[in-house]
């Protein structure tokens, strides 16, 4: 089992920045991919960005150039630097960790709210 604890959400004005952090504990040696998804009210959960243990990244088109994912394998921590935030970025952001590129065997955090005011 892997436990994920997110932090760093909050309220920010459009154009502002936030950093999200997610720390994994438990059987964290099994983790290959760590990343972030988000879910806005009335919408499906969607990928924001993820990163493999080997530092290969994947971003949603909507956040490219504005968000940066990074990972500290020694600390079992993944970060999401979010710049130039827009009201449409408002959502609950969930940390995801999984042992393979597919979502089989995924672990999820409880989520952290990000609200961007216009």
């Amino acid at each position: 089992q892997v436990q994920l604890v997110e932090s760093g959400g909050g309220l920010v004005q459009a154009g502002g920045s936030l950093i999200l952090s997610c720390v994994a504990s438990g059987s964290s040696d099994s983790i290959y991919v760590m990343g972030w998804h988000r879910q806005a009210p009335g919408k499906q959960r969607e990928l924001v960005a993820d990163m493999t243990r080997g530092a290969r990244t994947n971003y949603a088109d909507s956040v490219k150039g504005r968000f940066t994912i990074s990972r500290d394998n020694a600390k079992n921590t993944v970060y999401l630097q979010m710049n130039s935030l827009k009201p449409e970025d408002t959502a609950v952001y969930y940390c995801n960790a999984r042992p393979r590129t597919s979502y089989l065997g995924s672990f999820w955090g409880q989520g952290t709210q990000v609200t961007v005011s216009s």
Side-chain angles (χ1 to χ4, degrees):
Q1 288 292 322
V2 173
Q3 295 78 43
L4 302 172
V5 178
E6 302 119 330
S7 61
L11 173 65
V12 64
Q13 288 188 333
S17 298
L18 281 175
I19 301 175
L20 304 183
S21 301
C22 172
V23 181
S25 61
S27 302
S28 55
D29 287 348
S30 66
I31 297 172
Y32 176 61
V33 182
M34 291 189 76
W36 297 90
H37 291 61
R38 67 186 180 187
Q39 187 166 18
K43 294 188 177 181
Q44 289 188 332
R45 191 174 297 188
E46 62 177 3
L47 170 72
V48 177
D50 61 23
M51 176 181 275
T52 68
R53 184 175 287 273
R56 186 174 64 198
T57 58
N58 183 32
Y59 290 92
D61 287 343
S62 60
V63 307
K64 284 180 180 177
R66 300 188 298 122
F67 292 9
T68 302
I69 190 170
S70 60
R71 180 172 170 177
D72 186 333
N73 292 326
K75 295 182 178 180
N76 296 315
T77 301
V78 65
Y79 306 93
L80 186 68
Q81 172 72 52
M82 303 185 292
N83 298 328
S84 302
L85 282 160
K86 304 175 181 180
E88 51 263 44
D89 294 317
T90 295
V92 178
Y93 284 69
Y94 296 92
C95 182
N96 170 265
R98 55 194 194 268
R100 54 186 65 82
T101 53
S102 75
Y103 283 84
L104 181 66
S106 274
F107 298 94
W108 295 91
Q110 291 189 330
T112 185
Q113 177 71 47
V114 172
T115 302
V116 184
S117 63
S118 57

